[in-house]
Amino acid sequence: MKTTLGIDIGSSSVKVSLLDVETGRCVASSTNPSQEMPIDALRSGWAEQDPEMWWRYATEGIRQIAAQYPMSDVRAIGITYQMHGLVCLDKAGRPLRKAIIWCDSRAVEIGAEALEGIGRDYCLSHALNSPGNFTASKLAWVKRNEPELFGRIDRFMLPGDYIAYRLSGEIGTTESGLSEQILWDFKEERRADFVADYYGIPRTMIPDAGLSIGIGARTDKATEAALGIPAGTPISYRAGDQPNNAFSLNVMEAGEIAATGGTSGVVYGVVDTPKADPKSRVNTFVHVNHTAANPRYGILLCINGTGILNSWVRRHIAQEKIGYAEMNSLAEQAPAGCDGLLMLPFGNGAERMLENRCTGTAIEVMSVVKGDSCPPAACGPGGNRLLVPLRHRHHAFAGPAARRHPRRTGQPVPLAALPPDAGDADGGAHRTLRHRRSLGRGPRSGPGRRTLQVARRSLRVAQAAGSHRTRSCRPRSAGSKLRTLETSARKATFIIHNS
C-alpha cells in the first residue's frame, strides 16, 4: 500500500497521520503527548516552546504508526504547523533558545515602531501588514534584548521549517511562510528585504523560499536509519495551520471562506487582489496555491482564545470531571444567549483584531441559573454553584482585565475557582480586601450581619480606613487584585483589575 505521511505541529499537541494514496483514507493517526504540551511563560505576555519537544513528539508519533504500517511505503510527506513562531539555529543547526511562538506578544511595540519607521503607506502597500508581532519583529526583539545570542544565529525559521530540516538536513521555507513572517513584498512578488534591513537582520539568515505545494526538500539517510522512511522521500507540502485548514476544506479560489477552531479561532477568506487593512485588524498572507501568474491571497481574522479558553473552562470550572464531548452536550442544552452569560475570549491576547490591546479575558453573568440545567460555563459539576471569575494564574490569561460578576449574598464559591495567591497578606492568618465605604451597612455582628461565604469561610467587615472599609478573610478565600466589592440587599458585585 502506497502511503503519504502528514505531520501537524500544533501548540497543544503534535499529530501524525498516514493516508492510503489510492483511496485517500486515513489508515492510522497518533497524537502526542497525551496531555497538552506546555507553553512556557516567563513573563506576562510571553509564550515559548522547545523545538526539540516538537521533534520528539513527531518522531514518537511516527514510530507508533510504524508499529502497524511500514514506513518504507511512504511516498511523500506533508507538514503543517503553528504559524509565526521563531526558531533560531546556530551554524551546527542546533536551536539556540526556545521558540517564541505565535501567541507571544513581547514584540508588539517593536512592530509598531517599525510600521512608522519604514513608513506606514510604504509598508502597507508592499507588505500588506504592519510588522506587528510577527516573526521578523520577534527576531528584532532577540537582537535588541539578547544581542550575544543574536550574534550566534546562523539561520532562523518557522516551526514547520524546523521539522522539515530535521527530516532532510535542508534549510528552507516557502513564499507563504515568508508572508506570515512579514518578509514578503506582495507588490514586487519577492522577499521583503526592506523589513529585514530596517531591523538590522542579515539577509543571509533568511532561508531560501519555494512553493507550499511542490518538492521543497527530501529526507536524508539519518531519517531512514531512525524512522524507516526511505532516503529521498519528497517533502512535497508545507504550510502554516490556517492556510492549511483552508486548503483541507478546499477553500482555494477567490470568494471562498473557511471558519475553523483550534487553540485559536480563525475566519480565513481567499481573494485574488492584494489589499491591506489600514489598521491591520485582519492580515493578508500568500495562500498555498499562489503563483505570480495566478495570485491567491488569504485574508485572516484571528481570535486567540477559543480552544484554549475551552480548555481553561474544563480545568477550572468543570474541574476535569467531564470531557469536551459532555461539555458540548451541556452547552447545547443552554438557551440562546445563555441567560446573559458573556465571555470575552482574549485571555491570551487580542492581537490584531483589537489593535494589539491587552484586554484580557472577561466573564459576565447577568442572571443566576440553578439546577441541573445550569450552563457549564456558569456552574460547577452538578449545578447550583456559581463561579466568581477571579484573577487566575494560567499563563494564557495573564494581562489587564476588568471582570464583573453579580451574585446573591451568602452564596458559596467553589474553592477550585480561587487562585492560590488570594488576597493581600496582613501579617496574620488573614488577608485583606479593600472596598468602598458603602460596604458593610447593617449590623456588624449577630444574625443580621451580611456576609459572603467563600470556601466555607466568611468575609468580615473590619474598621473603616480613609475612603474605604476593609473586609478580611483567611488566605486562599478571595481573589487578589480585588479593588471594589459593592453589596446591596440582593447582590454583590466583584470587580477585579489586573495590572
Side-chain angles (χ1 to χ4, degrees):
M1 178 177 63
K2 296 179 181 180
T3 58
T4 58
L5 190 70
I7 303 172
D8 174 21
I9 307 299
S11 46
S12 299
S13 63
V14 174
K15 305 176 188 68
V16 180
S17 297
L18 191 72
L19 275 71
D20 182 335
V21 171
E22 292 185 2
T23 66
R25 183 175 61 92
C26 179
V27 297
S29 64
S30 68
T31 300
N32 290 287
S34 56
Q35 302 294 323
E36 294 178 7
M37 287 193 299
I39 299 176
D40 298 327
L42 299 179
R43 298 184 185 179
S44 177
W46 289 20
E48 299 181 353
Q49 287 184 323
D50 186 354
E52 290 299 304
M53 176 179 66
W54 302 332
W55 174 244
R56 183 172 69 253
Y57 287 130
T59 56
E60 187 174 323
I62 292 171
R63 291 189 177 103
Q64 288 170 351
I65 293 176
Q68 306 173 58
Y69 298 93
M71 290 294 108
S72 57
D73 290 338
V74 172
R75 294 295 184 265
I77 299 172
I79 300 171
T80 183
Y81 56 90
Q82 49 172 299
M83 297 172 72
H84 315 306
L86 172 67
V87 180
C88 301
L89 302 185
D90 64 13
K91 290 184 178 180
R94 295 184 297 258
L96 285 165
R97 69 180 323 282
K98 290 184 177 179
I100 302 176
I101 66 172
W102 63 277
C103 54
D104 185 293
S105 58
R106 74 184 73 182
V108 168
E109 292 183 2
I110 290 175
E113 291 171 5
L115 179 62
E116 302 305 323
I118 296 171
R120 177 179 293 270
D121 292 342
Y122 187 88
C123 199
L124 293 181
S125 64
H126 285 260
L128 298 189
N129 303 283
S130 165
N133 191 39
F134 297 105
T135 316
S137 299
K138 295 179 193 296
L139 184 58
W141 183 94
V142 173
K143 182 175 185 289
R144 183 179 298 185
N145 293 275
E146 299 173 352
E148 188 276 332
L149 185 146
F150 181 84
R152 293 191 286 128
I153 296 174
D154 182 62
R155 299 290 184 90
F156 68 94
M157 58 186 61
L158 296 162
D161 299 332
Y162 179 70
I163 298 303
Y165 162 68
R166 291 301 302 265
L167 288 167
S168 67
E170 300 177 31
I171 292 177
T173 189
T174 64
E175 293 178 356
S176 180
L178 287 178
S179 74
E180 69 179 80
Q181 299 177 76
I182 316 303
L183 287 172
W184 184 254
D185 189 326
F186 289 79
K187 195 171 186 177
E188 302 295 333
E189 276 290 317
R190 66 186 183 193
R191 196 174 70 191
D193 287 334
F194 66 88
V195 176
D197 293 346
Y198 173 84
Y199 280 142
I201 298 170
R203 297 181 183 183
T204 55
M205 284 187 183
I206 307 172
D208 292 336
L211 300 176
S212 291
I213 302 174
I215 299 175
R218 292 182 182 271
T219 57
D220 59 15
K221 292 183 178 180
T223 293
E224 182 174 21
L227 300 173
I229 301 171
T233 300
I235 300 173
S236 56
Y237 175 78
R238 194 184 319 177
D241 50 10
Q242 301 310 327
N244 176 75
N245 289 344
F247 174 53
S248 67
L249 294 170
N250 200 32
V251 173
M252 304 288 281
E253 301 302 326
E256 297 176 343
I257 297 175
T260 59
T263 300
S264 62
V266 168
V267 178
Y268 185 101
V270 176
V271 298
D272 55 11
T273 303
K275 187 176 182 180
D277 174 15
K279 291 179 178 279
S280 286
R281 294 162 298 186
V282 297
N283 297 105
T284 302
F285 304 119
V286 170
H287 196 35
V288 296
N289 60 336
H290 170 85
T291 64
N294 193 25
R296 293 292 182 270
Y297 310 102
I299 308 294
L300 185 150
L301 171 67
C302 178
I303 301 174
N304 279 7
T306 48
I308 196 171
L309 185 55
N310 205 31
S311 173
W312 183 88
V313 168
R314 179 174 178 266
R315 287 197 306 274
H316 294 279
I317 299 178
Q319 301 174 37
E320 296 190 334
K321 294 182 179 179
I322 61 176
Y324 292 117
E326 188 175 354
M327 285 174 59
N328 291 340
S329 178
L330 288 170
E332 289 174 355
Q333 299 171 28
C338 208
D339 291 312
L341 176 65
L342 300 176
M343 179 174 284
L344 300 182
F346 303 118
N348 59 336
E351 290 200 347
R352 284 89 66 192
M353 68 177 297
L354 294 181
E355 299 181 61
N356 291 303
R357 294 187 182 92
C358 295
T359 59
T361 195
I363 305 174
E364 291 197 17
V365 180
M366 305 307 294
S367 62
V368 176
V369 181
K370 294 185 178 181
D372 293 338
S373 63
C374 177
C379 300
N384 210 29
R385 290 201 297 169
L386 185 64
L387 170 69
V388 178
L390 301 173
R391 173 184 175 268
H392 49 74
R393 297 168 65 91
H394 190 264
H395 66 83
F397 293 89
R403 306 161 196 161
R404 297 176 175 82
H405 189 99
R407 50 182 274 107
R408 292 186 182 277
T409 302
Q411 188 171 19
V413 179
L415 181 62
L418 304 175
D421 59 341
D424 298 320
D426 62 1
H430 291 70
R431 291 178 177 255
T432 301
L433 307 173
R434 303 184 68 83
H435 55 77
R436 294 176 185 168
R437 186 185 293 275
S438 59
L439 246 176
R441 293 182 182 137
R444 293 191 184 180
S445 62
R449 183 181 63 183
R450 292 199 301 273
T451 64
L452 291 176
Q453 294 180 349
V454 182
R456 297 185 179 179
R457 302 185 179 97
S458 296
L459 295 175
R460 299 188 296 277
V461 178
Q463 295 294 322
S467 62
H468 291 74
R469 292 181 183 272
T470 60
R471 285 184 184 272
S472 62
C473 58
R474 295 186 183 279
R476 307 177 72 87
S477 63
S480 62
K481 304 290 186 183
L482 186 62
R483 294 292 179 252
T484 309
L485 172 57
E486 298 177 337
T487 61
S488 66
R490 299 193 61 189
K491 71 176 183 179
T493 301
F494 287 83
I495 304 178
I496 303 100
H497 293 273
N498 290 343
S499 59

